[in-house]
Amino acid sequence: MNEIIIKKMKNLNIIKRLNEKENSKRLIESTLNIKYEDLSFNEFNKPFLNDDIHFNVSHSKGYIGIAIYSSSIGFDLEVERKVNNNLINKIYNEVDLKVNQKDNILKVFTIKEAYLKALGIGLKYDFKNIIIDYDKFIVKYKDYETMYFKTYKINDIIFSVVTKDNTTFSISLEDLNEKM
């Protein structure tokens, strides 16, 4: 089950962060056909179902998505927008600057955040210390495991998936506004 499902939800962009968690719970329950209470959580509060089904959820500006895989997975999505130099200063290292990723700020951000989510260690780490090899499509942080990444762009959505192996995913984008 290598799948990414992204849904555009009516007025999700004006719902408070608290409700984003509720929308995430509903997406997990409906996609995996389980009750949220049946999930287990690691020490950093990353949810998982069992050893065979791993998933990760992300949301941004009216979109919510879930990536499902048979082993550890990280997923992050962002809607294209203008970003300021503070984000560059927070996440970029010499490698990112050297390969001229200045026009791809959200791409770099989604790769690094998806990597930390795949590791399941939380997001409170220095993004500058995460090294991306753009030629080999791998990402690494200190002594942690090296993983593979894939980055996609559909319409105005940029998203990255990070896994232990170099795999492909089926991707579906659904506009829930059309059904409401």
Side-chain angles (χ1 to χ4, degrees):
M1 181 185 257
N2 304 351
E3 189 174 11
I4 299 170
I5 300 167
I6 300 173
K7 299 183 179 194
K8 181 169 179 58
M9 300 179 73
K10 187 175 184 178
N11 297 326
L12 184 63
N13 57 335
I14 61 171
I15 296 174
K16 299 279 185 223
R17 190 118 177 113
L18 181 65
N19 287 339
E20 288 176 347
K21 185 169 183 157
E22 288 303 315
N23 285 318
S24 296
K25 285 180 181 180
R26 283 195 296 261
L27 179 63
I28 291 166
E29 288 177 337
S30 65
T31 305
L32 300 177
N33 199 23
I34 56 137
K35 292 186 184 262
Y36 191 80
E37 297 78 34
D38 294 337
L39 295 174
S40 300
F41 296 83
N42 76 3
E43 62 190 282
F44 299 98
N45 208 29
K46 179 180 179 178
F48 62 94
L49 185 54
N50 58 45
D51 290 338
D52 297 326
I53 300 175
H54 298 255
F55 63 92
N56 204 231
V57 175
S58 183
H59 37 75
S60 174
K61 308 264 184 224
Y63 289 91
I64 186 166
I66 186 169
I68 307 163
Y69 191 51
S70 59
S71 66
S72 184
I73 186 168
F75 171 65
D76 188 51
L77 70 84
E78 295 291 333
V79 173
E80 273 189 315
R81 64 186 181 280
K82 190 172 187 150
V83 293
N84 61 37
N85 286 338
N86 291 339
L87 185 59
I88 294 173
N89 296 333
K90 180 180 176 185
I91 67 171
Y92 273 52
N93 55 43
E94 290 178 19
V95 174
D96 301 320
L97 293 171
K98 187 176 180 182
V99 296
N100 196 18
Q101 291 295 325
K102 205 160 189 151
D103 294 331
N104 296 307
I105 300 165
L106 291 175
K107 172 185 172 182
V108 174
F109 181 80
T110 61
I111 294 168
K112 291 185 178 192
E113 183 159 318
Y115 176 68
L116 291 176
K117 291 168 83 174
L119 292 175
I121 59 173
L123 300 176
K124 296 181 187 231
Y125 290 84
D126 185 1
F127 276 45
K128 282 187 172 189
N129 289 326
I130 299 171
I131 306 299
I132 300 171
D133 184 327
Y134 296 94
D135 295 325
K136 296 180 181 174
F137 300 96
I138 58 174
V139 59
K140 174 90 172 117
Y141 177 71
K142 296 187 177 183
D143 293 332
Y144 290 96
E145 184 174 4
T146 299
M147 293 188 175
Y148 291 89
F149 72 88
K150 290 191 184 303
T151 300
Y152 304 88
K153 183 172 187 280
I154 299 177
N155 301 330
D156 60 344
I157 309 166
I158 299 168
F159 56 100
S160 295
V161 177
V162 174
T163 57
K164 292 180 182 182
D165 52 14
N166 195 4
T167 190
T168 58
F169 289 85
S170 68
I171 301 168
S172 64
L173 177 62
E174 183 179 353
D175 190 340
L176 296 181
N177 293 334
E178 294 173 359
K179 296 182 178 182
M180 296 179 150

